[in-house]
Structures are given as structure tokens and as C-alpha cells.
Amino acid sequence: MRLALAEAEQAVRGGDVPVGAVVLSPDGATVLATGHNEREAAHDPTAHAEVLALRRAAARLGAWRLTECTLVVTLEPCTMCAGAIQQSRLGRLVYGARDEKAGAVGSLWDVVRDRRLNHRPEVIQGVLAEECAEPLRRFFRQTDFRTRPTLG
């Protein structure tokens, strides 16, 4: 989780919400990929930390199935990321802070553990939750979203 927190700090440097993610090999000893939010830098609404880390891990392995791999992320995944986790056949999800506004792994929805789906990873929540929540609180206190470009 500490490596994911370091990734989250990189997101802030790019003007993005501080969320970081790490994908670990099945034995948990090797970092396969990392990612942090890059939506602002890439002008890409899908450039969430989790999606980027999953893409990079799959590329490194040469396979889209991340069975038995572990994704460690600082914030509870949203519905898009939860869907990507489910589709990647990830073995385990570990996350820090809950997301009461958009969380899809227990807060608002529970996409990854929905019994109607064909794959459900193990979920471990609340790891270093306070340490993961603090950069988010700081970011939203300091960011003036009125200065961001908008359409119309």
C-alpha cells in the first residue's frame, strides 16, 4: 500500500486526484505494474489508476487474465474500475479508503462481489485507510474546480 500511496502523490503533480495502484504477481513478491490517476494529463476519462495498472500488468504478462494477481489501490474503486477488475479475473483486491460518493466495492455498490457475475475476487478493505484518505482530503481542500476548463 505504501507504493500505491507514492503513486498517488505522482497523480497530484499532474493535477489529478491522488489515487495510486499497484498490481502484484501471484506470489505477491513482484510488482508487475503501477499506476496513478492520469485523467488530466492524458485528457482521458478512463485513465484511472486501477485501469492503467491493470493494462500495464496485462501487457507485461502478455495475457489479459490476471488470475491470482493482487491489485492494491489507495481508494475504493468506482464502477468502471470495479468492472475492469471483474473482467480481468483478478484474484484479489486490496484497497485503503472507502469512497462514499462513488465506491463500487461495498460503499454504494458491490460490483466485484455480485453473485450474478462469473468471477468474484477476494476483497480486503481498509488497509492504511486513514493514510490513504488524507491526501484525498488535502487535494479537495486545495483544489479550485471553478478554474478547470468546461464545455459550454
Side-chain angles (χ1 to χ4, degrees):
M1 186 61 78
R2 299 230 184 264
L3 183 54
L5 280 163
E7 281 291 319
E9 289 303 318
Q10 290 185 45
V12 173
R13 288 187 214 114
D16 219 316
V17 177
V19 177
V22 176
V23 177
L24 302 172
S25 63
D27 65 6
T30 303
V31 173
L32 296 175
T34 62
H36 56 272
N37 277 359
E38 296 181 27
R39 292 180 307 167
E40 297 296 334
H43 310 292
D44 178 356
T46 68
H48 287 207
E50 302 94 310
V51 170
L52 295 174
L54 291 171
R55 285 177 184 162
R56 292 168 184 157
R60 181 166 177 190
L61 291 174
W64 64 267
R65 288 179 186 87
L66 301 178
T67 310
E68 299 183 30
C69 292
T70 299
L71 173 68
V72 180
V73 62
T74 58
L75 181 64
E76 177 183 357
C78 69
T79 54
M80 176 183 69
C81 295
I85 289 164
Q86 193 276 332
Q87 288 296 310
S88 72
R89 309 300 192 263
L90 192 76
R92 179 179 301 108
L93 167 66
V94 177
Y95 73 86
R98 286 176 56 91
D99 186 348
E100 300 295 337
K101 293 182 180 179
V105 185
S107 291
L108 293 180
W109 301 281
D110 201 346
V111 172
V112 301
R113 292 179 285 203
D114 189 317
R115 295 211 177 273
R116 295 169 294 182
L117 297 173
N118 65 333
H119 178 77
R120 291 176 297 281
E122 175 187 1
V123 176
I124 300 169
Q125 59 191 34
V127 176
L128 298 179
E130 187 56 34
E131 287 181 57
C132 291
E134 184 50 38
L136 292 158
R137 284 193 289 265
R138 187 172 51 246
F139 177 83
F140 287 111
R141 274 194 310 265
Q142 296 172 351
T143 302
D144 183 359
F145 291 98
R146 294 172 296 179
T147 63
R148 300 262 170 125
T150 59
L151 297 176

